[in-house]
Amino acid sequence: MEARLNVFTSPLAGKLLKHFAMAGKVVTDSGLPMTTQELVKIRASQINGCGFCLDMHTKEAAAAGETAQRLHMVAAWREAKVFTEAERAALELAEQGTRLADGTGVSDEVWENAAKYYDEEQLLALVSLIAVINAFNRLNVMTQQPAGDYVVGQFG
């Protein structure tokens, strides 16, 4: 597959992606557990069908020590015994926050469950992370960025 647009050579895309990445860096440095961050990125990318981000974040998570079993189970997190209650709350929030177009929004129950495990700053980081990964997913899906060639650490 060939990308519709080359976002790696476009000056406009370069500026845009720099700002997306800076927003992502704020979340990375927020204190929200890195494991949770990668799981959320993977789940949103699965829902959005973004192979590019899915490739990147599964490889990054594996390089950081995430187990193959947990990576394979992200799509079936509800049935899997390998996730903590806090991770489950984050994954559910990520699902509802990613599926806003379904018209249900994020339920109070899901929000309150996440608030049991994350303080206000971490919740803000989690919401921001969900927004940023959805922006990256949409850009990559619409431009049909090919997946499978990502090298760990490729973007810094």
Side-chain angles (χ1 to χ4, degrees), residues 35-36 38-47 69-99 107 109-111 113-114 117-118 130:
T35 300
T36 301
E38 289 300 335
L39 293 173
V40 164
K41 291 176 201 175
I42 291 165
R43 187 63 190 127
S45 299
Q46 289 171 335
I47 292 166
Q69 180 186 27
R70 282 171 45 95
L71 291 173
H72 293 303
M73 297 302 297
V74 172
W77 64 267
R78 284 179 178 81
E79 294 83 23
K81 298 178 185 180
V82 297
F83 300 105
T84 68
E85 290 304 314
E87 290 168 340
R88 291 172 177 285
L91 287 165
E92 189 163 32
L93 184 63
E95 284 188 1
Q96 287 194 0
T98 297
R99 292 187 166 129
S107 72
E109 178 182 80
V110 167
W111 183 263
N113 189 42
Y117 302 100
Y118 302 101
I130 295 163

Side-chain angles (χ1 to χ4, degrees), residues 14-82:
K15 290 177 189 175
L16 177 67
L17 292 173
K18 178 180 160 186
H19 289 286
F20 281 10
M22 286 178 12
K25 176 78 169 116
V26 171
V27 174
T28 299
D29 296 341
S30 69
L32 183 65
M34 286 304 298
T35 300
T36 301
Q37 291 185 43
E38 289 300 335
L39 293 173
V40 164
K41 291 176 201 175
I42 291 165
R43 187 63 190 127
S45 299
Q46 289 171 335
I47 292 166
N48 289 322
C50 183
F52 187 89
C53 288
L54 191 55
D55 181 38
M56 178 189 327
H57 295 297
T58 53
K59 286 177 179 173
E60 290 288 344
E66 189 59 78
T67 67
Q69 180 186 27
R70 282 171 45 95
L71 291 173
H72 293 303
M73 297 302 297
V74 172
W77 64 267
R78 284 179 178 81
E79 294 83 23
K81 298 178 185 180
V82 297

Side-chain angles (χ1 to χ4, degrees), residues 60 97 112 136:
E60 290 288 344
E112 289 164 9
F136 272 119

Side-chain angles (χ1 to χ4, degrees), residues 1-7 140-147 149:
M1 169 165 71
E2 285 224 13
R4 290 176 170 155
L5 298 171
N6 188 338
V7 297
N140 289 323
V141 169
M142 285 189 274
T143 61
Q144 293 185 341
Q145 295 304 307
D149 296 332

